[in-house]
Amino acid sequence: AATTAYEAENATIVQGTVANNHTGFTGTGFVDYTNVTGSYVEFHVSVAAAGSSSLTFRYANGTTVNRPMDIAVNGTVVAAGTAFPATTNWDTWATKAVNAQLTAGSNTIRATATTANGGPNLDDLTVSGATDSQPPTT
Ligand code: GCU
């Protein structure tokens, strides 16, 4: 199935800002999570049929400390405390994939920081089976 990349800077951002002060991002920037518990980015993703999709988050974490996040689909946490470990510096990006069941049609996928450090810098989310020919900007 197709995959679609959803830029974090085009998603719904609560307690975070769009930034471009580090290199290597895709699109026009990335989301710099506010350094608080509960900061989040929420994507709207459509798939044709219900089933398991791979959700791949591209991120940077220039600290030496994990920046875990809860991954929620349609309001239910499906991967609690998912680790986003250090990536050497803020210009170095890595991916973290989780599998989740999506429902046919529109889904929300939210990545919420679970520590006071906030989330990592988030570049995009790639979803297998997504049917959006152009990622929606919501
Ligand atoms: C630095 C870095 C930011 C990052 C922030 C953080 O300020 O430049 O890109 O988001 O640290 O700790 O979250």
Side-chain angles (χ1 to χ4, degrees):
T3 63
T4 303
Y6 299 82
E7 294 295 335
E9 63 270 28
N10 294 333
T12 300
I13 302 162
V14 172
Q15 293 185 296
T17 56
V18 175
N20 58 12
N21 58 325
H22 300 294
T23 60
F25 55 81
T26 62
T28 58
F30 55 86
V31 171
D32 173 348
Y33 279 70
T34 304
N35 300 121
V36 293
T37 300
S39 47
Y40 72 78
V41 174
E42 184 173 87
F43 299 87
H44 294 255
V45 171
S46 290
V47 294
S52 182
S53 280
S54 174
L55 313 179
T56 303
F57 297 88
R58 187 168 192 263
Y59 76 97
N61 176 359
T63 75
T64 57
V65 179
N66 178 26
R67 294 259 177 122
M69 297 200 288
D70 283 348
I71 309 304
V73 175
N74 299 324
T76 299
V77 175
V78 297
T82 299
F84 290 85
T87 59
T88 307
N89 58 50
W90 293 109
D91 303 312
T92 301
W93 301 84
T95 56
K96 180 66 163 213
V98 303
N99 290 317
Q101 296 290 324
L102 300 185
T103 58
S106 183
N107 296 263
T108 61
I109 298 171
R110 184 183 294 194
T112 304
T114 63
T115 74
N117 289 327
N121 287 349
L122 187 61
D123 185 31
D124 64 24
L125 166 66
T126 301
V127 180
S128 65
T131 57
D132 300 299
S133 55
Q134 272 200 310
T137 60
T138 50

